[in-house]
Amino acid sequence: MGLDFTAIDFETANGFRGSPCAVGLTKVRGGVVVEEASWLMRPPENHDRFDHHNVRIHGIRPEQVAGLPRFGELFPEIGAFIGGDVLAAHNAAFDLGVIRSGLEVSGLAGPAYDYVCTVMLARRCYSLVSNSLPYAAEEAGVPLVNHHDAAEDARACAGILIDIAARNGAGSIAELYLSLGLAVSRQPAFDPLRDPLSKASQSALEALAAGPGAGPAVRAFQPGWPEEGANPLPNADAEPGHPLFGQTVVFTGELAIPRPEAKVRSAELGARPESRVTARTTVLVVGDGFVAADLRSGRITGKARRVMELHERGQRIEVLSEGEFLQMVGGHVAPAALA
């Protein structure tokens, strides 16, 4: 076997994972890109609202997809391109969640997929203060020019996986994962007539049934230190393949969700939340509209500055934007939060 896989990247119309409006796919055979495909699409019916902050990030407007096939209509072509390949995605929990939720709310069954996450691989094999796609792509020698273009993001993801395999002398994904002591993750097949809905889809359908204005109220800014809350213990039964599993996570800045809730969400996925940056810290989640590019501009909190100092001293630690964190935990992406 050679290094064979398909890299995938979705863009969504709103904060619900099941609202894809674009997808990019890059097929790799023997460590070489051999084919690419991309589509614009209408998200599934009733989930096709375009939020301003999503449009601001990826630039896709509702009029650009008006009249195009919906995700469920296009999925046979998307699925045919993927075939039986292992999928690779940067923050794979998000992109595999898009497939699952998009099909669920379209009332369609979905196949099983084996998948790998290049965020986790970058964390293992690079030493970056941020493993966001632009940083990891630059390290891999495939600089990303137009971030959030689905086709370019999928191509960059493929480049990262090819580079990491080469650095580890691996000729296949199985060989790479064996050398790193990791297991390839698997999203099981599902049938909407038999299997329960995913948590993300269930929440979206409940919100839809409740009607407009029934969602959580926008949090008003409150001066002073945000409430930290308790530090729950990590869920030992969480999925080991999730990028937060086994991490020690600290939060800083004003978040779109209460900090105690952020801690609970991370602990459910196997992370250990703590209240201050220490030698144990491996991930810092930064609010206040932070994006990864701010690490270069210097617009960072005191905790983030402390993380950069620790990173320079050799501590394996990274910074996430709140948007990246919420994608990982399946929550709504806050305005201006994506990186």
Side-chain angles (χ1 to χ4, degrees), residues 16 20 38 82 127 139 172 181 191 209 211 234 239 256 276 295 312:
F16 171 45
S38 62
I82 297 168
S127 182
E139 177 69 16
S172 68
D191 183 336
E239 169 56 51
R276 61 190 183 90
L295 292 169
E312 289 170 2

Side-chain angles (χ1 to χ4, degrees), residues 16 46-47 49 101 104-105 196-216:
F16 171 45
N46 298 323
H47 302 279
R49 181 192 75 258
S101 287
E104 284 178 334
V105 297
L197 292 174
S198 63
K199 184 178 178 181
S201 295
Q202 185 65 44
S203 297
L205 291 172
E206 287 172 358
L208 189 67

